[in-house]
Amino acid sequence: ALKLRAGDKHCLVARSKCYLKLGDTENSLKDAEASLQNDKTFSKGLYQKAETLYTMGDFEFALVFYHRGYRLRPELQKFRLGIEKSQEAIVNCIGSPSSVKLENKEDLCFISRQAESKKANQKLQVKLTKDQKWTKKQKPVRNPKTERQLLGELYADKAYLEKLLEDEDLMESSTKQGIKVADLVLSGISYLDTRSEFWQQQKPIYARVRERKLRQQRWIRDKKQKPAEVGRYVVKTMEDIDMLLTGDSPEESCKKAERALKTIQGWSAEVVPNKNELIGNLHSCIGNAQLEMGQMEAALQSHKMDLEFARQNDLPDALSRALDNVGRVYARIGKFQQAIDTWEEKIPMAKSSLEKTWLFHEIGQCYLELNKAEAAQNYGQKSLQSADEEGDVEWQLHATVLVAQAQVKLKDYRSAILNFEKALEKAKLIHNEAAQKAIIS
């Protein structure tokens, strides 16, 4: 595909995912970065780059790109999850921020991400010498039970490699390429040790995410009423639906969600105590997939079904999600007043400054499309205030541009020029060349 369409960003992301599954993080990162070369706001490229950096153990830089993706596509749960797991991994590595005391004894400098990535790759590809063999033996031995849990199926491979070390004659032999068998065995053990240390940081995150999903949606609230296999089916199905949607397969995601919806609708409330909540969630998944496929009217109906189930069952989080999605579809099809009405209902439900920033900005844009410049300016200023509270320069840029555009329509040209100049400075600060060109032109 890349031979036919050189540099296609979707193909590059797909290949990056393949490299990542093979454990080739270096090429995975190269493809992810290449997908962003011409479009820095490509959300799938940002997510893939963040995932690759996370797998490399580069949690701080992964967190940066998860945040960038979240700012662009706050409706995608994968970015929110990425932020959470990166933050938890960092805490697992260095401890809670409150336990760290910094002393300014000398000048500090930041190491480039490239250097960090290189070090991470070197750790994974290192070949141990005979001297390092003794160092390895002196390392504290991890509890076998803990190691078995971390390595899973790979534990048997490590046990086999360690048993090979006892065969002295085999360890002294070499391959046809002249590589000592001992070096290969020790390299394999070293790699598994490195991965187990990484998974020790990573595994609790997925355990907590899984528990939180089950708790929030109460899919397995009563084990007597709901067999364990029903809970496993629901969790696995929802994960598959989300993976297909984020993996650029909206049609397959939609089909799977529709099949799951039909299945769950046939179950009794005794089997699924929170049946209506789950049905609403599936309508939301179907709507998101339809939106990706450009089926606007169908997407609107699906999200309205989600909204109806949220209202009927008094589910505040689901209500906020549904209002967000319904407003988004209205805006996409040009029904700006309906989008405004929907999003204004959501305002009291916004939980963070970042969410308010996005919400106020979108409402302001709709007012601007309706030539209601004064209302657009007011919402632009609210968006800017929330962006200032969050300390998010990129959203400060968007909000400032919105305010300036509204002031142009109000013929307040002096204020508009001042705000465009501020926006230009912010665009330069974050190296957003596209925004700089748009402002200047």
Side-chain angles (χ1 to χ4, degrees):
L2 284 168
K3 287 181 180 179
L4 294 173
R5 296 182 63 182
D8 182 84
K9 58 186 181 182
H10 295 284
C11 292
L12 287 167
V13 167
R15 190 170 69 177
S16 175
K17 290 179 181 178
C18 294
Y19 279 133
L20 192 59
K21 286 183 181 291
L22 292 171
D24 188 351
T25 53
E26 185 176 355
N27 281 319
S28 177
L29 184 61
K30 285 180 181 178
D31 277 350
E33 288 178 335
S35 73
L36 294 167
Q37 189 171 2
N38 297 321
D39 183 4
K40 302 294 184 185
T41 62
F42 181 43
S43 61
K44 291 177 182 176
L46 287 171
Y47 179 73
Q48 185 58 27
K49 184 172 181 179
E51 285 286 279
T52 304
L53 289 168
Y54 181 84
T55 303
M56 293 167 65
D58 225 341
F59 303 123
E60 295 87 349
F61 288 107
L63 182 60
V64 170
F65 286 95
Y66 283 129
H67 267 297
R68 289 185 185 176
Y70 180 74
R71 287 196 293 268
L72 292 167
R73 297 291 299 275
E75 77 278 8
L76 295 181
Q77 186 180 2
K78 61 182 181 179
F79 286 117
R80 192 179 299 112
L81 175 59
I83 291 169
E84 290 177 7
K85 72 180 184 182
S86 295
Q87 288 173 338
E88 290 184 32
I90 292 168
V91 170
N92 287 340
C93 290
I94 64 174
S96 173
S98 60
S99 66
V100 180
K101 294 182 179 180
L102 299 178
E103 297 181 9
N104 188 12
K105 293 183 177 180
E106 54 185 82
D107 292 338
L108 301 177
C109 63
F110 291 102
I111 302 172
S112 68
R113 183 196 54 71
Q114 290 83 0
E116 289 288 340
S117 300
K118 186 176 179 181
K119 288 182 180 179
N121 288 333
Q122 288 173 348
K123 287 180 181 178
L124 295 178
Q125 297 171 358
V126 65
K127 290 188 177 180
L128 300 180
T129 62
K130 287 186 178 180
D131 293 337
Q132 288 173 304
K133 179 178 177 180
W134 290 104
T135 304
K136 174 181 173 56
K137 288 183 178 180
Q138 293 169 2
K139 286 184 177 180
V141 179
R142 184 184 283 115
N143 186 317
K145 185 177 179 181
T146 303
E147 193 166 43
R148 184 186 294 274
Q149 290 176 341
L150 291 171
L151 289 174
E153 295 178 357
L154 294 176
Y155 179 78
D157 296 328
K158 187 182 179 190
Y160 176 74
L161 291 173
E162 288 176 339
K163 190 173 181 180
L164 287 180
L165 287 175
E166 299 174 6
D167 189 337
E168 295 183 2
D169 293 335
L170 178 63
M171 292 303 100
E172 291 297 327
S173 63
S174 300
T175 65
K176 293 180 179 180
Q177 290 77 25
I179 303 173
K180 285 198 171 183
V181 174
D183 290 340
L184 292 173
V185 172
L186 288 170
S187 176
I189 294 173
S190 173
Y191 172 78
L192 291 174
D193 283 339
T194 303
R195 301 317 296 165
S196 65
E197 289 171 6
F198 171 71
W199 288 326
Q200 191 169 21
Q201 298 159 1
Q202 185 185 39
K203 188 175 181 180
I205 298 164
Y206 290 112
R208 283 192 288 273
V209 169
R210 181 183 175 87
E211 290 171 1
R212 182 167 61 253
K213 283 182 178 179
L214 296 177
R215 184 171 61 253
Q216 289 174 344
Q217 300 173 349
R218 289 169 288 172
W219 288 335
I220 312 179
R221 183 176 56 188
D222 190 340
K223 291 185 179 179
K224 292 181 181 179
Q225 293 178 329
K226 291 177 62 181
E229 58 268 20
V230 173
R232 286 195 294 269
Y233 165 78
V234 171
V235 173
K236 179 66 166 58
T237 299
M238 297 302 292
E239 288 176 351
D240 289 347
I241 290 168
D242 187 54
M243 285 289 290
L244 287 167
L245 184 60
T246 56
D248 200 23
S249 301
E251 187 174 353
E252 291 300 316
S253 176
C254 187
K255 288 179 181 178
K256 194 170 188 68
E258 287 172 342
R259 288 195 298 268
L261 180 60
K262 186 176 181 180
T263 300
I264 292 168
Q265 284 174 332
W267 289 345
S268 67
E270 292 182 355
V271 177
V272 189
N274 61 322
K275 179 178 176 179
N276 288 333
E277 179 183 356
L278 185 53
I279 288 173
N281 201 339
L282 284 167
H283 278 300
S284 177
C285 293
I286 292 169
N288 288 332
Q290 289 168 334
L291 188 64
E292 287 291 321
M293 292 187 289
Q295 299 172 5
M296 300 302 174
E297 289 300 327
L300 183 59
Q301 292 307 313
S302 295
H303 287 308
K304 281 185 175 181
M305 290 291 292
D306 180 27
L307 183 60
E308 182 181 344
F309 277 97
R311 292 193 196 280
Q312 289 175 352
N313 295 279
D314 191 24
L315 303 169
D317 289 341
L319 181 60
S320 177
R321 173 193 67 212
L323 288 170
D324 186 352
N325 289 325
V326 170
R328 195 184 305 276
V329 178
Y330 274 137
R332 289 276 292 271
I333 62 179
K335 294 184 177 181
F336 300 112
Q337 188 57 56
Q338 289 94 322
I340 290 169
D341 295 339
T342 304
W343 278 330
E344 285 183 339
E345 184 181 349
K346 174 182 164 65
I347 291 174
M349 304 175 194
K351 295 181 179 179
S352 67
S353 297
L354 187 60
E355 188 176 4
K356 289 178 182 177
T357 299
W358 173 85
L359 192 56
F360 291 145
H361 180 271
E362 295 304 297
I363 294 172
Q365 284 281 41
C366 288
Y367 273 121
L368 198 64
E369 292 289 343
L370 294 172
N371 290 316
K372 296 182 179 180
E374 188 171 350
Q377 179 180 236
N378 290 337
Y379 272 105
Q381 289 168 342
K382 288 180 181 180
S383 177
L384 181 58
Q385 182 181 350
S386 296
D388 289 339
E389 291 174 5
E390 185 69 23
D392 192 307
V393 180
E394 191 164 348
W395 273 110
Q396 289 171 1
L397 164 63
H398 297 322
T400 305
V401 169
L402 174 59
V403 171
Q405 289 173 329
Q407 288 168 340
V408 170
K409 286 186 177 289
L410 291 169
K411 298 183 179 180
D412 185 1
Y413 300 119
R414 184 184 297 276
S415 298
I417 290 171
L418 289 174
N419 278 309
F420 275 128
E421 288 175 347
K422 289 178 183 178
L424 184 60
E425 289 301 316
K426 294 183 186 299
K428 290 178 180 178
L429 186 63
I430 60 175
H431 307 291
N432 190 331
E433 294 181 4
Q436 292 177 48
K437 291 179 181 177
I439 293 167
I440 293 170
S441 61

